[in-house]
Amino acid sequence: MNAPTTGAAAAAPRAEATRVERMERLLGAPHDPANPLGFPAIAAAGPGSPAQGWETVLDPAERVALFVPPDLGGGFCGVAELIARLRPVYRRDPATGRAFAGPALARAPLLWDEAAPRESRLQAARELRSERPAPQEPPRTGPGHPAGLVRAAMAMAAMDTALRLTLDFARDRRLYHGTVTDLPHARAALADAFARLLRADALVAAAARARPEGNAAPTACADAAALTDAAQTAVSTVLRPAVEDLGVVLGARSYLHEGRHAAFARIYAEVDALDPGRDPSVGRLLLRRLQTTDAQAPVGGALSALADAPLWVGDPQADRAVRACAGLMARTAAAARPVTEAAPAGAAAEEREAFFTELADRFADSRSFTTERSPLLW
Amino acid sequence: MRYPPLALAEELEARMGPAQAPGSPLSYRAACDHDDRGAYPWQASERLEEWGLADYAVPAAHGGRLEGIDRATHMMRAVARRDLTLAIGHGRTFLGAVSVWLDGRPEQARDLAKRLAAGERICWGLTERAHGSDLLSGELSATAEGSGYVLDGEKWLINGATDSGLACVLARTAPEAGPRGFGAFLVDKAELGAGEYRCLPKVPTYGIRGADISGIAFHRARLPRTAVIGSPDRGVETVLKGLQLTRTLCTALSLGAGDSALRLAAHAIRGSGRAPGPPHEAGLRLALARAYADHLLGEAVSIAAARAVTVLPGESSITSAVAKFLVPHTADTAVARLAPVVDWCAPPEDTARAFAKTRRDNRIVGLFDGNSVINQHAVINQFPTLARAETKQRVSPDAGDVFALSTPAPPIAPERMSLAALHGSSVVQALPTLVERVGAVTAEGARPGAGAVAEAARRLGRAHERVRVELAAYRPVALHAPPEAFDLARRYALCFAGAACLWLWLDNSDGTGTAGADSVDRAEALWADALWARAALARVLERLGDPVPEDPAAGDALAGAMWEQFAGGRLFSLLECRVEDE
């Protein structure tokens, strides 16, 4: 039985796989009460509002470095890299992420399109450099646009934290002469949420790697657009049900705006904003979901497409890694269904246990629960 | 005639006035304003007190109007339609007092009744910071000392802990705890000395933001001997019996939230410039129909459970667990399905705000007072008893009274309540008979739609048969139940829901489709062609993994019936009831 993550997936093509991401270090220790971007300070922010003082840490220079291409004076070098660098922000607090990255993602279609008029692109870059760009509704970019993929990836970052908080609670909470993680039902719920997260994120990773490095223009690769579409659908399908199921394990604390696990309620409140299915450019996905009885169907279809076609250009190692992940996802489809829906009795117990072990290992090693398994602060 | 609990709800609606009325303290707008400020809606609360809502938390034997809990359930629904914070604030009176009604001394009950009638407030202190639903781990202790008791410890996440003068708390009376190691006590803050207690700060919550969710800490607080409710070693038993009633009552909160969500979605659709009537877009109509079907399913379960807890008191440990597990779930599903619809319509701020608040508030119902895991556990713990009862297939001769809506439900009878359903659940055990009855009705040919109900009933019967087999094969585990046991409990609950729908339909519709002289006023459009029963059973069967094929015509009829109730100012219900909306 394979562990859910192969060595190949952990050794990502990026140079700093063993170092905590720069952005993570900028955000500081998550549980430090003195940290303005730590969980205690974030919990004090009003519902839906970013952490107070976030702009002094996540300033316009950071935004330019992340989103603006080099030919306009910034440091953007591809969607995969952006996802890795931006994830820490959404892991910490999606509401703050929205305030920080929202204006940039809204301008991304213009910024990243080398064929667009240069003056318009420069104007967009200037707006991002100023202190407070005017907030914008995300434009209709059409399905398959990389900005949508970035949003989907950030949703999984938020889900990472929801899962981490729930596990953090469950490991310590005593109930009926053991801990909550000793209860098979809670353990299964945690394992299932992890499986669903990995499944959706495998598609996100595949879609990100399908775009040639440095070129995020939407027409670069038709396969890339299709994978992006599939990734957004997958994320939209798993996000709310998984967060709901985690909320059941967390219990009353999933409803409180104070305490060690207060960030969970903040993530819950952001689920609609994070859900790619509510992006106007993927509105047709929404309608499709309203009409289908099998919410898993689009994901299943996208997964089988994954198994057959070559995925991207020039990265066979990543290709193997994500295929291995996707293969495991397909085999454990039963384990990945939301617990409140009809599920076959006796879904593979040993596969669930393998997921739980991997989850617990990553928690102990302070590694992300998303595909890249990168180090983080906890 | 109106279903009597709904007749009362209509009176209450009329007294509350239109939910859209500008400036009314009982409007959606007022509720949202208070919620945004984290303030309790006291003005609205006073209006309800003036009407005498608190009387329905006090037994008739002590001068109140509480008999069974069905009337309280439907009135709580009416309040919950306006504001869950308000409904929870008022419902708290019954929660705080129920232990005294069940096990208190007569003079203790009389005294409490007088105080509640005078407007005093009470809370129910069960949970603690380190122990949520695990009541037997509670650390608040009540030590016998001198002529009374000394309380030490805290209760936390208690609704009303700060603004109530009275508190009913569960406290450990024996150091070794255990099921006989706790007592229930009625605490009067006014009688405590300085420093003997302090209230803990309000906990900011995701929803019901104006509710007083706080706590109370006791430090060597001296209670008189008369503070104990019943025997000092029977506290757990009393509280568990109380929970059988309160968990069932709380399904009203889900129904109220569901009604609001549906109504606000309808407002959003109507206000979006479309042609009058239900929307043309298939996706939107389907979402409405599905949400409405789930709402009606929840209502059928709630109507049945609210009556069954006093008609079949010995079965209430199962009835309440099933109801508290299922009804919040159907409401959650319905509200979630309506959210994209409301979004799609881009409604005015008032509607969007009210819907968002309803959605936030609704989430608490599945989380508090026994969440879904607790309730599934309660069923799992009785699997051996249920398995035995299923082989006997015994159905209580009183069970039909649950579904005879024109007959009043009997009052609460504490002496007939039990912590375990020794004879299982009559409603579930009646399934094979119900399936046969539907078959017979279909063969008679006098009830339109019966054929489709019969098909659904047969599938339900097969699912029940699988449940029976699995119950018989279940071996209790020494420590912790596996996930498969939770799934079995979930399906058992769905069998209850399906059986309740079948029985409710069979006993309240007749061949000609016209109501008899003694029957209750129904929402006729929902009973024509067995529309509601087919829709509700379809939702049950989908959750059981045996879905019936989608019926677009039925979906359209359902959306149409829902719209008719909306346009006509009616409660979203199987039964007829006016509401005050605009």
Side-chain angles (χ1 to χ4, degrees), chain A residues 265-343:
Chain A
R266 286 184 66 83
I267 294 168
Y268 190 93
E270 286 291 311
V271 165
D272 279 352
L274 289 164
D275 182 355
R278 296 170 83 88
D279 183 324
S281 75
V282 292
R284 62 192 180 78
L285 291 174
L286 173 69
L287 196 57
R288 197 194 316 150
R289 260 201 303 143
L290 285 175
Q291 289 171 337
T292 188
T293 51
D294 179 3
Q296 301 292 322
V299 182
L303 273 181
S304 61
L306 200 61
D308 300 335
L311 295 178
W312 46 76
V313 178
D315 194 346
Q317 195 180 41
D319 187 359
R320 277 196 295 279
V322 179
R323 275 180 197 284
C325 218
L328 182 72
M329 298 308 113
R331 284 203 303 280
T332 56
R337 296 184 81 143
V339 296
T340 46
E341 296 306 318

Side-chain angles (χ1 to χ4, degrees), chain B residues 92 95-97 121-125 158-161 164 166-169 216:
Chain B
R92 211 175 67 210
L95 269 64
R121 287 184 293 274
I122 187 169
C123 66
W124 205 13
I158 308 298
N159 183 17
S164 302
L166 298 166
C168 172
V169 300
I216 182 162

Side-chain angles (χ1 to χ4, degrees), chain B residues 365-378:
Chain B
V365 188
L367 282 175
F368 88 130
D369 208 25
N371 64 19
S372 58
V373 175
I374 297 300
N375 289 300
Q376 284 168 290
H377 232 292

Side-chain angles (χ1 to χ4, degrees), chain B residues 396-418:
Chain B
S396 164
D398 295 332
D401 290 348
V402 173
F403 302 95
L405 298 184
S406 41
T407 321
I412 298 166
E415 70 286 356
R416 294 179 61 206
M417 293 176 75
S418 166

Side-chain angles (χ1 to χ4, degrees), chain A residues 173 175-176 182-185 188 240 248 251 253-258 268-269 272 278 290-291 293 340 342 346, chain B residues 129-130 132 134 204-207 286 290 343 359-361 363-364 373-374 480-481 484 486 490 543 545 550:
Chain A
R173 177 74 162 179
L175 192 63
Y176 310 131
D182 291 332
L183 302 173
H185 186 258
R240 181 171 285 284
V248 172
R253 278 162 179 76
S254 70
Y255 209 78
L256 307 184
H257 279 308
E258 69 169 39
Y268 190 93
D272 279 352
R278 296 170 83 88
L290 285 175
Q291 289 171 337
T293 51
T340 46
Chain B
R129 195 178 299 262
D134 188 5
T205 48
Y206 171 76
L286 182 66
R290 284 267 184 87
D343 234 27
R359 202 171 168 204
R360 284 194 304 269
D361 292 351
R363 206 174 138 239
I364 191 83
V373 175
I374 297 300
H480 303 303
E484 293 71 35
F486 283 84
R490 186 187 65 89
R543 291 177 167 95
E550 195 77 53

Side-chain angles (χ1 to χ4, degrees), chain B residues 113-330:
Chain B
K114 268 206 287 273
R115 298 181 73 161
L116 295 176
E120 287 193 49
R121 287 184 293 274
I122 187 169
C123 66
W124 205 13
L126 299 180
T127 57
E128 301 178 4
R129 195 178 299 262
H131 316 289
S133 37
D134 188 5
L135 297 180
L136 293 178
S137 297
E139 290 174 79
L140 171 70
S141 60
T143 315
E145 204 177 281
S147 61
Y149 298 90
V150 172
L151 271 190
D152 256 304
E154 296 182 3
K155 290 296 184 187
W156 189 69
L157 284 190
I158 308 298
N159 183 17
T162 301
D163 69 25
S164 302
L166 298 166
C168 172
V169 300
L170 182 70
R172 186 185 286 222
T173 46
E176 67 275 14
R180 300 295 286 268
F182 291 80
F185 294 86
L186 187 59
V187 180
D188 184 349
K189 285 181 189 173
E191 294 197 353
L192 296 181
E196 287 188 337
Y197 84 96
R198 69 190 160 88
C199 294
L200 303 176
K202 174 173 155 78
V203 179
T205 48
Y206 171 76
I208 53 163
R209 293 177 181 163
D212 168 25
I213 307 293
S214 58
I216 182 162
F218 298 100
H219 178 64
R220 287 201 55 79
R222 283 185 297 271
L223 304 180
R225 186 183 305 283
T226 50
V228 71
I229 300 166
S231 168
D233 64 343
R234 302 291 288 242
V236 170
E237 181 174 331
T238 304
V239 160
L240 287 176
K241 286 181 180 172
L243 284 167
Q244 291 177 10
L245 300 173
T246 61
R247 284 173 181 165
T248 309
L249 176 66
C250 286
T251 59
L253 300 170
S254 296
L255 294 186
D259 190 282
S260 274
L262 282 163
R263 204 162 304 268
L264 290 163
H267 274 293
I269 291 168
R270 191 174 69 184
S272 64
R274 287 173 163 73
H280 293 302
E281 295 88 337
L284 294 178
R285 259 209 321 278
L286 182 66
L288 276 185
R290 284 267 184 87
Y292 190 48
D294 265 330
H295 178 75
L296 295 175
L297 170 61
E299 190 193 29
V301 174
S302 179
I303 288 174
R307 295 174 61 87
V309 290
T310 57
V311 172
L312 304 166
E315 304 183 11
S316 295
S317 59
I318 292 294
T319 309
S320 59
V322 159
K324 185 63 172 50
F325 169 70
L326 270 180
V327 181
H329 172 61
T330 54

